Amino acid sequence: MSPTPTALLSPADQERRRALRVMKNVALGALVFMAVVFAVSFPLQQEVPWLAYVRAAAEGGMVGALADWFAVTALFRHPLGIPIPHTAIIPSRKDEIGRTLGEFVETNFLSADVVRTKLESMGVSRRLGEWLARPEHADRVADEGSAMVAGVLRALSDSDVQDLITDIAREHVIAPEWGPPLGGWLERLVDAGAHHGAVDLAADTIAAWLEVNRASFDGLVSRRLPSWVPSMAHRLIDDTLYKEAVTFVRAVQDDPGHPARRAVDQYLERLADNLQHDPATIGRFEDAKGGVFDSPRVRELAAEAWNTTKAGLLTSLADPASALRQRATQALVDAGARLSTDPALQHRVDTWVTDGAVFLVDRYRHDIASIITETVEKWDPAETTEKIELMVGRDLQYIRLNGTIVGALAGLLIFTIAHALVG
């Protein structure tokens, strides 16, 4: 297994590789030191008796160093390239390790009790409120939210949005019958007399128009009279028509029971009834509705409305001083202030967050844990081995060093006890 070129490693991994090499050299140096001590003390122990103790310590240190070297190396590769059984554990059992790790995370971290206990102890809503209550934080959230919304708006295709609006309008607005619901609404309006205000407004408007438009009646009827009729009769007829119109409108204004008002009531009652029960009226109304919505001009207006709305939103979202952004920031600050001081609101929000998180964990815990399993399965065995060795290899070299020291002490102790008992 060839190591990854240093140029392809991240700076952190490069530093880990340097530290690993240093510790490997230290551990190897300890083994070589014990070997040198053993090589010197072994032939001289007959002449210098106390060197026997040194030889025993060096011998134990070499055994410990070699045993721990074999154990550490067997995790990552075959020692000396020899395919000894139960060596190169990580590359050969990579997928099993990934599954085990995924099961461990799913069982011990993605359980409802663990998530609920952790969230209930955190005070999520209070911390969030205190953080949002600071204007600089609220402004940051508004910035990020504006960027996200603007990105979504830019990504949307105008033609697709217009088609979607058209489809939704056709399904929920145009396709359903308007006649019967509108007739029922109109019937309730007439029964309650709610239309009287509109009739009063119409009468007042006509009266105001008549007051300032007297000249509009000149020749309205008289121009259709024979030429032999005297001009005085012309003026008399026009004046009479104007006065009758004014008198009629004033009568409608002053008399709540005026025949014209009753005629309006009766017309609206018939219209309400026909819209609910007369197929011909309903059909004409639906045809008129379809004609209006299918008009090319209406579609153009809808497209213009979307384009105008989109451009306005993008401009407001991009401008930190826009009213939209300022209101959004202030709303976030107000929400944060209330959230940080209102215990009842904190309890509700914490309950929502906890219940939502527990629901997601219960429902998707296996899918979340499977990310670990599937990710490890996709890793190359050699690359996986190197990644793990870079992460923990330096600490494992301490095991080799400790094994050398412990082996030396154990060898010395065993020899000392044996010498004391046997002589």
Side-chain angles (χ1 to χ4, degrees):
M1 180 182 68
S2 58
T4 303
T6 303
L8 300 180
L9 296 175
S10 67
D13 283 342
Q14 293 179 21
E15 180 59 33
R16 293 189 184 101
R17 175 176 283 184
R18 285 192 292 269
L20 176 60
R21 287 174 177 171
V22 170
M23 282 308 304
K24 281 185 175 181
N25 291 333
V26 171
L28 179 60
L31 172 60
V32 172
F33 175 75
M34 290 297 174
V36 170
V37 171
F38 178 81
V40 172
S41 60
F42 182 78
L44 297 178
Q45 61 183 335
Q46 296 296 331
E47 301 175 8
V48 183
W50 61 267
L51 286 178
Y53 292 91
V54 176
R55 186 268 307 164
E59 188 175 20
M62 286 192 299
V63 172
L66 289 172
D68 286 343
W69 166 82
F70 182 90
V72 170
T73 303
L75 287 173
F76 305 104
R77 56 188 64 84
H78 297 297
L80 301 177
I82 303 173
I84 302 172
H86 304 294
T87 59
I89 295 174
I90 290 177
S92 62
R93 302 181 62 186
K94 169 181 69 69
D95 295 346
E96 183 180 348
I97 293 173
R99 287 192 296 272
T100 303
L101 181 59
E103 292 172 1
F104 176 78
V105 171
E106 179 179 355
T107 303
N108 295 280
F109 293 93
L110 298 178
S111 67
D113 292 338
V114 171
V115 174
R116 184 178 294 278
T117 301
K118 182 61 178 178
L119 290 177
E120 288 178 348
S121 66
M122 288 177 61
V124 176
S125 60
R126 179 182 56 79
R127 292 186 179 184
L128 177 61
E130 292 175 351
W131 189 83
L132 273 180
R134 300 179 63 178
E136 63 271 20
H137 293 162
D139 190 59
R140 178 181 174 185
V141 173
D143 286 344
E144 297 297 332
S146 298
M148 291 176 60
V149 174
V152 171
L153 287 175
R154 292 190 183 95
L156 291 175
S157 169
D158 292 342
S159 59
D160 291 342
V161 172
Q162 292 165 14
D163 291 341
L164 177 63
I165 294 174
T166 300
D167 293 341
I168 293 175
R170 188 170 299 279
E171 180 180 355
H172 298 286
V173 178
I174 302 175
E177 278 192 343
W178 281 22
L182 184 60
W185 173 81
L186 182 59
E187 183 178 21
R188 292 190 296 272
L189 185 146
V190 173
D191 291 341
H195 65 293
H196 292 162
V199 175
D200 292 339
L201 177 61
D204 293 341
T205 302
I206 295 172
W209 184 86
L210 289 173
E211 185 177 351
V212 297
N213 290 277
R214 167 65 183 82
S216 298
F217 282 80
D218 292 340
L220 186 63
V221 175
S222 59
R223 73 167 61 100
R224 294 174 174 81
L225 295 176
S227 58
W228 50 266
V229 176
S231 58
M232 183 178 294
H234 288 200
R235 289 193 299 272
L236 179 61
I237 291 173
D238 291 337
D239 290 342
T240 301
L241 179 62
Y242 175 75
K243 290 178 182 178
E244 287 298 326
V246 171
T247 301
F248 175 80
V249 173
R250 286 178 180 172
V252 173
Q253 288 179 295
D254 297 336
D255 184 6
H258 193 278
R261 289 179 178 271
R262 291 199 300 271
V264 172
D265 293 345
Q266 293 169 2
Y267 170 77
L268 292 178
E269 289 171 358
R270 289 195 305 273
L271 179 60
D273 183 70
N274 290 338
L275 284 173
Q276 296 180 81
H277 307 108
D278 182 24
T281 303
I282 296 174
R284 289 195 300 270
F285 183 81
E286 293 301 321
D287 291 341
K289 178 192 70 176
V292 169
F293 280 100
D294 288 335
S295 170
R297 181 54 184 161
V298 173
R299 293 186 178 182
E300 292 176 4
L301 291 175
E304 292 175 2
W306 163 249
N307 292 333
T308 302
T309 302
K310 177 180 177 180
L313 283 174
L314 289 175
T315 301
S316 297
L317 291 172
D319 183 9
S322 67
L324 178 62
R325 288 280 297 273
Q326 294 296 326
R327 290 179 181 177
T329 301
Q330 188 58 46
L332 290 170
V333 171
D334 294 342
R338 184 183 173 195
L339 196 57
S340 63
T341 57
D342 188 341
L345 181 59
Q346 291 175 6
H347 177 72
R348 289 198 300 272
V349 173
D350 286 339
T351 301
W352 295 337
V353 172
T354 302
D355 291 345
V358 169
F359 170 79
L360 291 176
V361 166
D362 279 340
R363 189 175 182 88
Y364 300 107
R365 57 186 296 185
H366 181 71
D367 297 325
I368 297 172
S370 67
I371 295 175
I372 299 174
T373 303
E374 294 171 1
T375 301
V376 173
E377 288 177 352
K378 294 177 182 178
W379 285 352
D380 177 72
E383 182 181 357
T384 304
T385 301
E386 185 174 13
K387 284 181 178 292
I388 297 176
E389 186 175 16
L390 289 177
M391 292 299 297
V392 301
R394 183 172 181 270
D395 294 326
L396 293 178
Q397 299 309 311
Y398 279 106
I399 294 178
R400 291 178 57 189
L401 185 60
N402 292 337
T404 303
I405 298 173
V406 172
L409 295 175
L412 177 62
L413 179 62
I414 293 172
F415 179 79
T416 301
I417 295 175
H419 190 272
L421 294 177
V422 178

